[in-house]
Amino acid sequence: MSWMTRLVAMVAPVLLAVGATAVSSAAAPDFTGIDGGGQAAQWTATQDGPQPYSDIRPELGVPITMSDGTVLKGDIFHPAQGDRATTDRTPTILMVTAYTRTGFNIGQALLKIPGVEQVLAPLIGSVNLAGTALEGVTDLTRLADSGLAQAALGDWKLVRGGYRVMIVDARGTGNSQGEWGMWGPREQQDTSELIDWITKQPWSDGTVGMTGISYSGLNQIQAAAHHPPGLKAIFPLEASADIAASLLNGGSLVAPAAPWQLAINLAKFVPDVESLLAGKFDPATELRWLTDRLASPLSQMDLMASAYLSTDTTHLSQKAKDFFTDDSPARRALAPDAATIDVPTFLVGGWFDAFARDETDTFDKIPLPPTQKKIIMGDGYHSGAGVGGFGHPGYPPRLDVLQRAWFDKWLKGIDNGIDHYSPVTVKQQGGAWSAPGSFPRDGMSYHRRYLTDAPTGTTRTALHDGSLSGQSPQDTTDLTVSLGAAVLCSRDAAQASFGITSILVGCTQDSQIRESNALTFTSPPVTEPTQISGPIAVHLNTVHEATDGFWSATLNDVAPDGQSRALSLGQLMSSLRAIDDTKSTRSPNGDYTDPHYYIDLGRREPTVPGQPITLDIGLIPTDAVLQPGHRLRVDVFAGNVPAGIPPTPLLLDSGLRPEHLRLDPTAPSWINIPTDRPLPE
């Protein structure tokens, strides 16, 4: 064997090992912590520093004709040098809203008043009322300099940064013609057609990103599931794929739905002032707009009217029946398949957001590597998702900074490192912001803890003081609970009000007032930090006095001083308890971890008075830590009105009668909870 052959034989294994290590490193990239590491400073400088374009030129009241002839109205903001819009081809950021584009433009204009972003916002953000009766206000004031407003309103800084920003009124809202379809099939088709229209404009480079909050966030996820060729990245705030699961909420419609729909319907009658200002007012187009408004003045509200004004399910309108039919076209439209999304996606949500039930599940289902999908979950509500403090030490970067970096990477191809930002960033309830790398966290195991009637002496206010135990109850006992007004003082009510009532910290940070209407079950104190991460389910053995019932439950962290803070919550109409096992998950022992209900009137199972039935109530997935000395508590309630309001026929069938929880050793009740160590017995 020649010396060269021997050398190759010696060196080859080393080279192969090095190569394998390199490939392994490439396949498992290192990720930053919550603050973005050293790259965050560059992301912030890119957003706040000098921009490639000095000015913005708006093109207002642009008519875009859909395939069925309906004209949607949009505004396009072009990058400019001086008073001339650039002819450069650029990416476009699209937002489709039902809240009228004019309001968004006014919001951005107010932000650009000298001193607002630079002085006023940081000043408001610095307000700290911790330790006072107005402590809850701090959660709202800290949003001022978090970048939330900029990101949610269609950030004009993106325009100077080399993007065109386009805001469009959804069909039947604002100044767009047609009838409002509320995330329906036609609205989804409109979004795809808008993206196609953008890519064909002479100023477009053929790439489109989408942004927006709430309605506009949900619209993005639907669009991504349709795969329009020009869509390259999305940045949805407070949104999920399963809209129906959030709106129906265990068979109880979301309380603010009616006033929210009314506000959209009132705003759509405001004339197109922007077209007048831009000299584009077309009488024929505006006449069609007015005709459409008069033909459907209260779009979608007939569904709510039917649900609440009917006294029997047979009297519901066809639209209402379709909404309460699991496989109807209306319901299918509200549940796009997140498993088909193939564009980089950055989700931002909150543990008590209106769409919290499905936000983490949406993230998990998106089949992209962690470099191309991210999620941030704050400890907040729909009014801000708990992102107050972003941009400050110990927090993630500002939202507008993250959004800019995301679009720069996926629309412009700039290698800025945002793909290596933490894939999962969460505010751990009871702890700090962290980057666990996955949700649920690694190392979680499900544990069953039984509800028993053994007193703990840990509550001064509860209707009943029971235990969470590793052993089932010894004797059969019926515990009775009735609907009470204390629900008004709760995190449930704060979630239902989109966070407006969260300023009442005596209600949202402590459940002791609400527990006056609760059956409570409390564990012994933990002796070391105990993490909870993932979906949670409560299994109840119940007895009713009527042919229906309404139950709710919360999971609480109980401090040594007795403070009881809700970590998660869920609710269910008894007659709609049928579970779709194809969409549900279970722990290894067969207990549900995330039951998915059909919420289908055709599958309704009335309760038989006096006969026990079991209910599996899914709680919102969460991430929390119990500190040493703290206890876990399950609160069980009869109903959740007005945080959740069932349709009138179901409410009448329940008679609002007292409900009974049966603690039976042969058919026990329990909570199935994921923790990193067993809870004390």
Side-chain angles (χ1 to χ4, degrees), residues 27-72:
D30 292 330
F31 291 101
T32 74
I34 63 166
D35 60 2
Q39 295 163 317
Q42 183 57 51
W43 302 338
T44 303
T46 299
Q47 174 73 346
D48 294 345
Q51 302 298 323
Y53 295 92
S54 62
D55 212 339
I56 299 171
R57 281 292 166 265
E59 185 179 357
L60 303 178
V62 178
I64 307 108
T65 303
M66 299 292 98
S67 57
D68 64 351
T70 300
V71 175
L72 308 187

Side-chain angles (χ1 to χ4, degrees), residues 151-221:
L153 294 173
D155 190 8
W156 284 359
K157 281 187 180 179
L158 289 169
V159 183
R160 288 193 172 93
Y163 296 88
R164 284 174 169 85
V165 171
M166 182 174 178
I167 304 179
V168 179
D169 290 330
R171 175 182 293 249
T173 71
N175 301 123
S176 289
Q177 296 175 355
E179 181 179 356
W180 180 36
M182 198 176 72
W183 302 298
R186 181 63 240 193
E187 184 177 298
Q188 295 178 46
Q189 182 178 338
D190 288 346
T191 304
S192 294
E193 291 183 14
L194 284 167
I195 292 170
D196 181 64
W197 182 89
I198 290 170
T199 62
K200 293 176 180 177
Q201 301 310 301
W203 37 259
S204 170
D205 72 351
T207 63
V208 178
M210 293 188 72
T211 189
I213 190 170
S214 187
Y215 197 101
S216 301
L218 298 162
N219 180 279
Q220 295 174 59
I221 294 173

Side-chain angles (χ1 to χ4, degrees), residues 22 46 95 108 178 220 239 483 510 538 555 562:
T46 299
M95 180 191 299
Q108 283 291 348
Q220 295 174 59
L483 181 67
D510 195 342
V538 175
L555 177 69

Side-chain angles (χ1 to χ4, degrees), residues 424-616:
V424 177
T425 305
V426 302
K427 174 59 171 69
Q428 189 174 52
Q429 296 192 73
W433 281 95
S434 63
S438 64
F439 183 84
R441 292 173 183 264
D442 292 337
M444 295 295 120
S445 297
Y446 274 90
H447 302 277
R448 181 193 283 191
R449 284 296 177 267
Y450 295 96
L451 280 57
T452 78
D453 63 349
T456 65
T458 59
T459 173
R460 299 182 299 272
T461 63
L463 180 65
H464 174 80
D465 173 22
S467 297
L468 279 183
S469 172
Q471 303 296 321
S472 60
Q474 299 300 309
D475 301 306
T476 300
T477 304
D478 279 0
L479 304 176
T480 301
V481 61
S482 301
L483 181 67
V487 67
L488 294 170
C489 184
S490 66
R491 290 202 89 172
D492 299 67
Q495 186 200 31
S497 70
F498 295 167
I500 294 173
T501 63
S502 66
I503 61 174
L504 303 173
V505 293
C507 296
T508 58
Q509 300 302 313
D510 195 342
S511 298
Q512 291 187 81
I513 293 176
R514 193 190 179 193
E515 286 173 350
S516 63
N517 288 137
L519 308 175
T520 67
F521 304 89
T522 311
S523 75
V526 300
T527 58
E528 52 188 326
T530 302
Q531 297 191 99
I532 303 165
S533 185
I536 304 158
V538 175
H539 177 88
L540 301 179
N541 184 11
T542 65
V543 179
H544 297 74
E545 296 183 6
T547 55
D548 209 341
F550 185 22
W551 293 83
S552 64
T554 64
L555 177 69
N556 294 30
D557 173 358
V558 182
D561 65 0
Q563 180 188 24
S564 178
R565 186 177 190 269
L567 302 175
S568 183
L569 49 89
Q571 60 187 29
L572 179 64
M573 289 300 301
S574 302
S575 67
L576 295 176
R577 62 189 179 275
I579 295 173
D580 183 350
D581 278 321
T582 66
K583 298 179 180 179
S584 303
T585 58
R586 297 174 183 259
S587 53
N589 70 351
D591 292 349
Y592 283 109
T593 59
D594 185 15
H596 190 286
Y597 314 109
Y598 287 105
I599 310 297
D600 189 329
L601 293 178
R603 298 176 183 268
R604 194 172 176 221
E605 302 175 57
T607 55
V608 178
Q611 179 176 314
I613 63 161
T614 57
L615 304 175
D616 289 282

Side-chain angles (χ1 to χ4, degrees), residues 158-451:
L158 289 169
V159 183
R160 288 193 172 93
Y163 296 88
R164 284 174 169 85
V165 171
M166 182 174 178
I167 304 179
V168 179
D169 290 330
R171 175 182 293 249
T173 71
N175 301 123
S176 289
Q177 296 175 355
E179 181 179 356
W180 180 36
M182 198 176 72
W183 302 298
R186 181 63 240 193
E187 184 177 298
Q188 295 178 46
Q189 182 178 338
D190 288 346
T191 304
S192 294
E193 291 183 14
L194 284 167
I195 292 170
D196 181 64
W197 182 89
I198 290 170
T199 62
K200 293 176 180 177
Q201 301 310 301
W203 37 259
S204 170
D205 72 351
T207 63
V208 178
M210 293 188 72
T211 189
I213 190 170
S214 187
Y215 197 101
S216 301
L218 298 162
N219 180 279
Q220 295 174 59
I221 294 173
Q222 290 179 318
H226 282 284
H227 312 289
L231 184 61
K232 302 302 180 185
I234 60 175
F235 199 91
L237 308 175
E238 299 177 359
S240 71
D242 196 344
I243 304 171
S246 297
L247 293 181
L248 290 167
N249 200 10
S252 171
L253 294 172
V254 177
W260 167 74
Q261 289 179 335
L262 179 61
I264 291 174
N265 277 295
L266 291 176
K268 73 184 186 183
F269 278 93
V270 177
D272 191 359
V273 177
E274 293 187 13
S275 291
L276 275 173
L277 295 175
K280 296 180 179 178
F281 190 86
D282 176 56
T285 300
E286 301 311 317
L287 180 59
R288 165 72 186 276
W289 167 82
L290 180 59
T291 302
D292 289 342
R293 293 298 178 271
L294 296 176
S296 180
L298 295 174
S299 301
Q300 300 299 319
M301 296 200 71
D302 52 339
L303 188 157
M304 302 299 293
S306 178
Y308 289 126
L309 297 180
S310 300
T311 57
D312 190 280
T313 56
T314 60
H315 300 156
L316 293 172
S317 68
Q318 189 59 50
K319 181 180 286 187
K321 290 178 180 178
D322 288 344
F323 194 64
F324 281 91
T325 301
D326 178 62
D327 61 350
S328 69
R331 284 278 292 279
R332 289 198 299 270
L334 295 177
D337 187 359
T340 68
I341 293 176
D342 58 4
V343 297
T345 301
F346 200 126
L347 292 154
V348 179
W351 299 125
F352 290 88
D353 177 35
F355 300 100
R357 189 166 302 280
D358 194 54
E359 285 169 340
T360 53
D361 189 52
T362 297
F363 170 80
D364 288 336
K365 286 179 179 176
I366 296 174
L368 292 173
T371 52
Q372 296 182 36
K373 67 173 184 176
K374 314 287 180 185
I375 187 169
I376 294 177
M377 291 294 292
D379 185 12
Y381 306 88
H382 203 58
S383 55
V387 301
F390 276 30
H392 292 270
Y395 291 84
R398 295 191 333 248
L399 279 184
D400 60 324
V401 169
L402 291 169
Q403 177 181 254
R404 172 69 179 274
W406 193 246
F407 288 141
D408 279 354
K409 168 65 180 178
W410 300 113
L411 272 66
K412 291 187 174 182
I414 297 173
D415 188 13
N416 56 15
I418 189 65
D419 49 330
H420 292 270
Y421 182 65
S422 165
V424 177
T425 305
V426 302
K427 174 59 171 69
Q428 189 174 52
Q429 296 192 73
W433 281 95
S434 63
S438 64
F439 183 84
R441 292 173 183 264
D442 292 337
M444 295 295 120
S445 297
Y446 274 90
H447 302 277
R448 181 193 283 191
R449 284 296 177 267
Y450 295 96
L451 280 57

Side-chain angles (χ1 to χ4, degrees), residues 624-641:
V625 58
L626 294 179
Q627 300 295 347
H630 286 233
R631 303 167 186 258
L632 198 67
R633 175 176 291 166
V634 173
D635 288 345
V636 178
F637 304 91
N640 208 17
V641 178

